[in-house]
Amino acid sequence: MATNSTTRHAALSVAVDLVIFTVRDGTLQVLLIERGKDPFRGMSALPGGYVREGETLDHAARRELAEETSVSSPQLHLEQLRAYGDPARDPRGRVISIAYLALCPGLPEPVAGTDAHAARWAGIHDAAATTLAFDHAAILNDALEQARSRLEYTTGAAAFCAEPFTVTDLRLVYEAVWGLPLDPSNFRRKVTRAASFIEPTGGRRLHFGRPAALYRRGPAQFLSPPLLRAPDITRSGSDDPATAQNRPASG
Amino acid sequence: MATNSTTRHAALSVAVDLVIFTVRDGTLQVLLIERGKDPFRGMSALPGGYVREGETLDHAARRELAEETSVSSPQLHLEQLRAYGDPARDPRGRVISIAYLALCPGLPEPVAGTDAHAARWAGIHDAAATTLAFDHAAILNDALEQARSRLEYTTGAAAFCAEPFTVTDLRLVYEAVWGLPLDPSNFRRKVTRAASFIEPTGGRRLHFGRPAALYRRGPAQFLSPPLLRAPDITRSGSDDPATAQNRPASG
DNA sequence: ATAATAGTGTCTGTAAGACATTATATA
DNA sequence: TATATAATGTCTTACAGACACTATTAT
């Protein structure tokens, strides 16, 4: 905030990149586009775009999200992940990218964006095995860990569920995002006891067996007590918390 | 990443702002500078500066941190907090700021930076009551919550302690950052049982009473089980997790 | 001895994991 | 009826909060 302007660079732009997650068919999926122009033409990438003049970062992210999902934005969970600013991350020049994480209920179908590119839902395993443009593989990785962490400490999992939803719907979200099977009985106990996580609508959904009670999202944003994953065998290692985004918290 | 360049703005710069925390005399303190030039001349602000050409965001933050604290950087805990990009946040024009959070052991004394400004340690309560330049009050607030959350889920608290340190030293850090008294007995049990949080050096420190065993930081980055604050009365409300940085996580 | 600080042990309540059991629907 | 899914209950273990008690130093 107080350096001589001689060190300021000339060509610089700021973009937002979106990691849009959804859960469909019990699988965590991410929205990928196929780039229609260079650089990385024809390669898969995260959706995104430049921040416009006079526009908030959050607004730019919401705008891009609406363009890609064609869903009324205010419904969707959207939060900033972090900034990526390696000087070499974009061959066209210096582009700082602010990554956002969006959690969406199962959306109709892959939607074509306004730009000349094809959009598709990719399973998280497929996406991780795909070579992505720019540093999007790293962004996706950070976003995935952020999402997994969010499910532990916040009520964000419900953002994946279209209302009304059942406890089983919610559990399938956890299982898809964490990639773990959960005990249905213990899961029910935890989510129903957590204050203001979910609220019964009074309705029921009929499939085949016993009808399931329906719920809507409650007002709580944080889960107390948190709904932790397995006793942290995967997390107590020597990872860097600043890089492995908020495994407990951040963004 | 794929918008027509007509919407790109002309004058744009990227800065880093640092929230440098330390614990001295049992109090959480933050490094503030007094601005030597407009805008906000004479007002308190967070230290920071423009990102230089060809420079990584992390590098810019480390550079500023070294300038302000005159301490060999690699020692200090430094992590990105998030980006702030309100178009009106800087009256000079569009400046995107990437905020960083630094956790430092008690440093010698307020150090003057390379720029023409005075630096000082401010108690967190004083700082919160001070009118800060730009949107630095919001950044400080987010950083404080991030730091508090980090102490729950990571071993970051040890970054506040110069090695070797005692369990009491570590407890005083938690008490200062959380602003809560902790039970010494239960605290000791938790930190000594948490895997690889702290390791005994074998040495002892003599003051007056019984000599205290000395410890160094262990290799673990995450605390399992986490060391949670009170049963979340302050957190289970209706806050926005994306704004109130990672109370659980994320950030 | 007394004061001061460090460290251990015990009791109790909460919550999680494992898993048996009951409830209510469809075919 | 058999089958499938939803929901409740029980047992055990782990851990946190509260707090009594012991240990080791300086004065």
Side-chain angles (χ1 to χ4, degrees):
Chain A
M1 246 31 182
T3 303
N4 46 337
S5 55
T6 63
T7 56
R8 295 161 77 167
H9 27 252
L12 170 73
S13 39
V14 174
V16 293
D17 284 314
L18 269 60
V19 181
I20 308 173
F21 282 132
T22 194
V23 173
R24 304 209 315 170
D25 310 322
T27 307
L28 179 64
Q29 309 198 333
V30 61
L31 190 74
L32 295 181
I33 63 156
E34 183 170 335
R35 287 185 58 79
K37 47 187 171 183
D38 283 325
F40 302 106
R41 180 197 293 262
M43 193 175 290
S44 290
L46 297 171
Y50 290 109
V51 177
R52 294 181 181 164
E53 196 168 351
E55 185 183 44
T56 295
L57 300 178
D58 284 3
H59 184 275
R62 280 245 170 247
R63 175 172 51 75
E64 294 288 338
L65 178 60
E67 287 178 9
E68 296 294 344
T69 64
S70 63
V71 164
S72 57
S73 309
Q75 290 283 7
L76 305 179
H77 175 100
L78 182 68
E79 67 175 284
Q80 189 187 308
L81 181 59
R82 58 165 291 166
Y84 295 81
D86 191 293
R89 63 179 296 279
D90 191 321
R92 290 168 296 186
R94 184 98 201 224
V95 180
I96 309 290
S97 175
I98 318 296
Y100 277 77
L101 172 66
L103 312 181
C104 306
L107 295 175
E109 270 306 313
V111 181
T114 56
D115 296 351
H117 64 238
R120 73 174 201 277
W121 290 111
I124 190 63
H125 293 113
D126 291 348
T130 302
T131 301
L132 298 181
F134 307 103
D135 52 0
H136 288 187
I139 296 177
L140 175 59
N141 198 58
D142 290 349
L144 177 58
E145 187 48 46
Q146 171 83 333
R148 286 175 170 162
S149 174
R150 279 289 187 247
L151 261 55
E152 292 187 297
Y153 306 109
T154 78
T155 57
F160 282 110
C161 298
E163 291 182 314
F165 53 87
T166 68
V167 172
T168 297
D169 291 338
L170 192 59
R171 178 170 51 82
L172 291 176
V173 166
Y174 275 88
E175 293 181 338
V177 176
W178 287 351
L180 297 170
L182 297 178
D183 184 291
S185 175
N186 295 332
F187 179 82
R188 173 182 307 277
R189 180 176 60 195
K190 289 204 279 191
V191 299
T192 54
R193 285 189 185 173
S196 303
F197 185 7
I198 57 177
E199 298 175 339
T201 65
R204 306 192 154 270
R205 178 181 297 166
L206 308 185
H207 296 279
F208 181 51
R210 175 172 171 172
L214 292 172
Y215 295 84
R216 69 175 70 89
R217 293 183 272 273
Q221 296 286 340
F222 293 97
L223 276 183
S224 62
L227 217 162
L228 301 175
R229 289 174 274 182
D232 291 18
I233 300 171
T234 58
R235 298 170 58 199
S236 50
S238 54
D239 290 322
D240 179 0
T243 305
Q245 279 298 313
N246 293 351
R247 289 194 159 176
S250 161
Chain B
M1 245 32 182
T3 303
N4 47 336
S5 54
T6 62
T7 56
R8 294 162 77 167
H9 26 253
L12 170 73
S13 38
V14 174
V16 293
D17 283 315
L18 268 60
V19 180
I20 307 173
F21 283 132
T22 194
V23 173
R24 305 210 314 170
D25 310 321
T27 307
L28 180 63
Q29 310 199 333
V30 61
L31 191 73
L32 296 182
I33 62 155
E34 183 170 334
R35 285 185 58 80
K37 48 186 171 183
D38 284 325
F40 303 105
R41 179 197 294 263
M43 192 175 290
S44 289
L46 297 171
Y50 291 108
V51 177
R52 294 180 182 164
E53 196 169 350
E55 185 182 44
T56 293
L57 299 178
D58 283 3
H59 183 275
R62 280 244 168 250
R63 175 172 52 76
E64 294 288 338
L65 179 60
E67 287 178 7
E68 296 294 343
T69 63
S70 63
V71 163
S72 57
S73 310
Q75 290 282 6
L76 305 179
H77 176 101
L78 182 67
E79 67 176 284
Q80 187 186 310
L81 181 58
R82 56 164 292 167
Y84 294 82
D86 191 293
R89 62 179 297 279
D90 191 320
R92 290 168 295 186
R94 184 97 201 226
V95 180
I96 309 290
S97 176
I98 317 297
Y100 277 78
L101 171 66
L103 312 182
C104 306
L107 295 175
E109 271 306 310
V111 181
T114 56
D115 295 352
H117 63 238
R120 73 175 202 278
W121 290 110
I124 190 64
H125 293 112
D126 291 348
T130 303
T131 301
L132 298 181
F134 306 103
D135 53 359
H136 288 186
I139 295 177
L140 175 59
N141 197 59
D142 289 349
L144 177 58
E145 188 49 45
Q146 171 83 333
R148 285 176 170 162
S149 175
R150 280 288 187 245
L151 262 55
E152 293 187 298
Y153 307 108
T154 77
T155 57
F160 282 110
C161 297
E163 292 183 313
F165 54 87
T166 68
V167 171
T168 298
D169 291 337
L170 191 59
R171 177 170 51 82
L172 290 176
V173 165
Y174 274 88
E175 293 181 338
V177 176
W178 286 352
L180 296 169
L182 297 178
D183 183 292
S185 176
N186 296 333
F187 180 82
R188 173 182 308 276
R189 181 177 59 195
K190 289 205 279 191
V191 299
T192 53
R193 285 189 186 173
S196 303
F197 185 7
I198 58 177
E199 298 175 340
T201 66
R204 306 193 152 268
R205 178 181 297 167
L206 309 185
H207 297 277
F208 182 50
R210 173 173 173 173
L214 291 173
Y215 295 85
R216 70 175 72 89
R217 292 183 273 274
Q221 296 286 339
F222 293 96
L223 277 182
S224 63
L227 217 162
L228 301 175
R229 289 175 273 182
D232 291 19
I233 301 172
T234 59
R235 298 169 58 200
S236 50
S238 54
D239 290 321
D240 178 1
T243 306
Q245 280 298 314
N246 294 350
R247 290 198 160 174
S250 171

